[in-house]
Amino acid sequence: MAISNPALPMVRKAVFPAAGLGTRFLPATKAQPKEMLPLVDKPIIQYGVEEVLESGLDNIIMITGRGKNSIEDHFDVSFELERILAEKGKNELLAVVREISDMLHIAYVRQKEALGLGHAVLTVRELVGQEPFAVLLADDVIDAAVPVLRQMLEVYAATGHSVIAVEQIPGEAISSYGVVRVEPWDETRFSGPVFRVLDLVEKPRPREAPSDLAVVGRYILTPGIFEFLETTPRGAGGEIQLTDALRGLARHEPIYALRFQGRRHDTGDKLGFLKATVELALKRADLGAAFRQYLQNLPL
Ligand code: G1P
């Protein structure tokens, strides 16, 4: 069931920026999108899509680019595959395959130039229109009892303002993230502490980080963000950064940050990808026991 507050516009649309080149995973990503790399037996992006559905949204906008056709194929009906599976009586697999294409409505938009996350989000301005929307970065796979987007929708329903997910990151690793400066707002009412965001910096040097709270790839944004994206110049890495536009928005309307409950895996990083594979496999009913036994017998 969707979480909503009748006095507020509903969050219906979830945007997945997926136009990035995936250079960190070359050569695996030379001819296939990084979003399609499998974690156990599901492509990375499917974890995010399932999180959206489990959070009560079913309207997805994917921002893709060259070489990303397999994402569209994955979420489309595959008549040939379904026919072969049906003929062979492989009904369980048939159900798995059908479930993916039955899941939801997806619109695809092409980002023609790789000018950064902020630029990607700006390309969906027309499709999103004047309503709040979610942005999910598929690289961040979050294993949580309550889907993180759902946890964030609770904060949106209570405030009517933008909500970003944050996580404490110790030490120098903070420099790989957008980092927030915050003040406490509500410690008790939500799945984790909620802060009021005062400012944000994209990928600060460790000593310049305003806190140890990093932005992870989940955002609920009010449509006001588009005006700031329009005028955001290139920032860190020469790219138009969503963090910089949020900085402008924070001066005009409240933004909240939720320290969510859940375990995040950075699957955009090789070590993070390996850890995610191991942890998710260990949790699987069909594989977990055998995989645990195998790991325990490795001469480490
Ligand atoms: C992006 C955002 C950054 C955020 C991160 C979370 O960076 O720009 O603010 O902290 O995602 O994963 P990227 O990882 O694309 O460099």
Side-chain angles (χ1 to χ4, degrees), residues 197-224:
V197 176
L198 304 174
D199 200 3
L200 308 92
V201 194
E202 180 68 11
K203 303 200 169 75
R205 292 201 190 98
R207 263 196 251 122
E208 285 157 20
S211 75
D212 62 354
L213 290 175
V215 177
V216 308
R218 299 289 183 280
Y219 310 77
I220 291 174
L221 302 172
T222 55

Side-chain angles (χ1 to χ4, degrees), residues 24 34 117 137 139-140 176-179 201-203 214-217 219 239 241-243 264 266:
R24 283 199 282 176
K34 62 173 179 171
L117 178 58
L137 308 185
D139 280 2
D140 285 325
S176 305
Y177 297 88
V179 183
V201 194
E202 180 68 11
K203 303 200 169 75
V215 177
V216 308
Y219 310 77
E239 296 187 337
Q241 298 290 350
L242 179 57
T243 304
R264 180 183 66 105
D266 178 6

Side-chain angles (χ1 to χ4, degrees), residues 8 19 40 70 92 94 96 99 118 122 129 137 176 180 183 193 254 275:
L8 288 174
V40 189
S70 59
E92 272 179 34
L94 182 60
V96 168
E99 204 181 21
L122 191 56
L137 308 185
S176 305
V180 286
E183 64 184 22
K275 288 180 184 170

Side-chain angles (χ1 to χ4, degrees), residues 183-200:
E183 64 184 22
W185 186 68
D186 193 312
E187 285 282 328
T188 55
R189 251 191 312 159
F190 302 97
S191 60
V194 175
F195 305 88
R196 173 87 188 258
V197 176
L198 304 174
D199 200 3
L200 308 92

Side-chain angles (χ1 to χ4, degrees), residues 5 94 113 116-117 119 131 160 175 194 218 238 251 283 292:
N5 170 346
L94 182 60
E113 294 166 285
L117 178 58
H119 177 255
E131 52 182 276
S175 290
V194 175
R218 299 289 183 280
R251 294 197 189 105
K283 290 184 83 171
R292 175 167 284 104

